Amino acid sequence: MTFWRRLSSGDATGFKFLFSVAFLYALMSAIAYFVLHMEHVPPLPLDAPLDQFSEARAVQHIRVLAEENSGRQEGRPGLREAATYIKTQLEMVKERAGPNLRVEVEETQVDGSFSMMFLGHSISLGYRNHTNILMRISSMHSHDTDASVLMNAHYDSPVNSPGAGDCGSCVASLLEIARLVVDSGWAPPRPVIFLFNGAEELFMLGSHGFMTQHKLKDTVGAFINLEASGTGGIDLVCQSGPGSWPSNVYSQAAVYPMAQSSAQDIFDVFPGDTDYRMFAEDYGDIPGLDIIFLLGGYYYHTSFDTIDRIIPGSMQARGENLISVLKAFTSSSKLKVASERKSLDVDADSEMVERAVFFDYLTRFMVYHPKRVAMVLHNIPSALFLFAPFFLYMREPGRHPFLSVFCAFLKGIIHHTAGILLGVIFPVLFSVIRLFFANPMSWFAHSYLAFLMFIPCSFFGLLLPRTISDGASDCQSFSSKKIMKVEMSDEARFWGAFALYAFVTSAYFFAGLGGGFLTFVICVSMLLGWIAFCLSVKSYGYDSLKSPMFYVIALVPCLLYSVYFGGFLALFLIEKTGMIGVPPPFGFYLADVAVAAVIGLVTGFCVGPIIPICDRWLAKASILKFLLHFTVAMFAVSSQFFPYSKDAPKRVVLQHTVFSAGGNEITDSTYDLAVVDSNSMEFVFKHAPEVAEKLHAGPSFSLSNAEVSPQAAWLALFPVSCVLTKNGRFPTKANRILERYSQFPHLKTHKPPTTLEDGTRRVHLELSLGSLEEIWVTVLNITGPLSRWSFADGKLPAPELPEGGPPSYILRLSGNSSEKWIFWLEANSEAEVRVDLAVLDQRLDEESRHLKSLFPAWSDVIAYTSFLSTYFF
């Protein structure tokens, strides 16, 4: 009560309005959280009717794949177990098929070689003996050449992860869909192909094998690729195309639509890729959808990706969407085989080539329109703003000079733009200052802390221009007050803010991007709010608090969508900061600055639309002081929180590096450590002294005094190693390695070199992988006068150009086999060809396992053994 008594009536009214608005946004945030985590989707139980998708039945498959399996990584026996389980389940489905269906199940082994760009690096890949499982369901009257719909999921998982989300959830979804198709009695009008590929984590090798070798590849007329970058929540259409037909089908068919055309604009910003690339871009032009679980990213590619992390309701929503969209695809007249797609008249069927603009509204419905419609629709707000000064001038031509009106609108744009920029700058500034007194990412395990820290200071930035302009207005002479009233009126502020969102909408369109729908919706809602405000002013007066409340209420549907969209974006980023990499020299600041900037931007488009009308009540000195004090308090509170937990683990890479000189001679043995977020190994050693003691580093370990692990030591992980921060190298003994392995990987000449007619020298090589039993991948870095090789049709990838070194070429080999790799290299001179060889074995010796066990429970340690050797030919 004392606080309220000390406030003036205007300040007290402002605080009441502030708390009312805060309550409204808290309520909208709760609704958005409820929707994003699929709380509104009831999962069906095991005994659900057989003609419905059941999440409980799908989860049973995940349990087998993630809990009862010994590990679905390439090189481990669990991958073969998973393939056997999937094939067995499909055979059981086949046995239940009615007389109206033809069901075929097959297992194929794929091999091949190709080059690709990944994480900005050009590499070549060679693979063999990867297993794909296929099921084709068609009516008895169909033909082998009929256009079909492909549904794809990969059943392999990354090193160290049980893969319940990635991608056991995807496999389980397709197994349940396959059962549903058969048990429901539905005879698909076009064939459906279910592809369970066994090598996605090794850079989409399974899908490449299908697209280059399978007899059905040219019959695929549409595809749905399932992926998981988390353990559930929103199942977003992240990529669609070529053309707008796939997204149009989805918009009409999805039960719980979850799609944003803006997702495709930013997909390439985040490291990684999916099988969508093989089907729609690199080795086909098949129209399709890339649908990805995006929440639960804390557990992505970690040992915490377990079945208990699957978000309830997510599988149910995905399943109901899939069966509905599958039926729509198979019934579409636009489903064409490859030869028919090539002969299409693209002018007559623009849906097959042009992109569309679309978005879902809280998974309830979708708004969809083609690009040609967006060309008109998304430029209407800009045209309307350009007309607004003329309209205001013509409404009262004698009251306001046209130039004065135009300048007032221009200042309104500058005013709102400054607020949006300050709304981003202040959170970033505070985040940097905080790092002088606290550890990075203290909000990581408690995402709400990030919102409580950065939203108030962002709101402070949004209000600051009005406070400054009001102060300047009070200092104006009497003769200029009339002009200032025109220039800085609420109407000028409103149209200035409207113009900013309108111009952003147009800019999105002309940049060829699909994300302008949000600012377009803001523009439309602001117009409706302005009408409501003007009507309320006539009824209640300009000084009544009811007038801005009517404006805010009219904007609620738009604001709710902004909170839903922005909240998802911020949550996704927070979860991913644990693995985004920390490039020097500013990696220490990267996570905090990125989260602060995004939350500031999200606050801008969530709160920004109400600012032009409401800042008159909110831009008070007392309110700004309150926001600053609240921000400082939350920063102080957040510094007391530990960044990590079992629900938000820190990722650590532990590589036992064994250097050999050919044969079984070990020249060196080290532990190499790396992290992928802003807290270095110094942080880990400080909070896990037993690890530091084991490595003889001590709790006072400092990176400045430590031996840094060189980039070359991480060849087995290339190019993923480029996003790691290499924090230390520690010597270790290799006695146990010699006890475990009877033979190390070794490269030697297969037969004498030959000289070709053009003078090039061909070196014939033989690669033996020794007695290693759980090989994930083999990587070769070849340096020298290389001109051709026996991989990727003889073509070399673009060379790596290390600083101060000659160009080199990267080759990744994978595939479980006792056979040796036989290949050749061609050199265009007599200079030596150097080959650096790295083999990643997932097995650990006893000492390495013990070291891994010493790490705290809040960390996720990816541990393996890397065998390195160098050869000259």
Side-chain angles (χ1 to χ4, degrees), residues 175 184 232 256 284 355 363 401 436 472 490 545 637 700 726 750 771 782 852 857:
L175 288 174
S184 66
Y256 301 100
R355 288 180 62 184
T363 76
F436 287 100
D490 283 340
L545 200 58
V637 169
S700 60
K726 295 81 180 176
H750 174 59
S771 58
I782 305 171
K852 180 181 177 181

Side-chain angles (χ1 to χ4, degrees), residues 237-244 246-247 261 264 276 280 287-290 355-356 358:
V237 176
C238 290
Q239 299 183 93
S240 66
S244 59
S247 53
S261 53
Q264 201 150 349
Y276 174 92
L289 302 168
D290 198 18
R355 288 180 62 184
F358 52 88

Side-chain angles (χ1 to χ4, degrees), residues 403-414:
L403 184 60
S404 179
V405 173
F406 183 81
C407 290
F409 278 31
L410 184 60
K411 288 185 178 181
I413 297 175
I414 297 172

Side-chain angles (χ1 to χ4, degrees), residues 93-115:
V93 171
K94 178 181 178 179
E95 291 175 3
R96 296 200 302 273
N100 62 330
L101 293 179
R102 182 173 63 179
V103 181
E104 304 159 85
V105 178
E106 68 172 273
E107 177 180 326
T108 62
Q109 302 293 316
V110 294
D111 52 61
S113 181
F114 65 104
S115 296

Side-chain angles (χ1 to χ4, degrees), residues 153-172:
H154 70 89
Y155 63 88
D156 63 320
S157 62
V159 174
N160 198 58
S161 176
D166 181 24
C167 212
S169 64
C170 311
V171 172

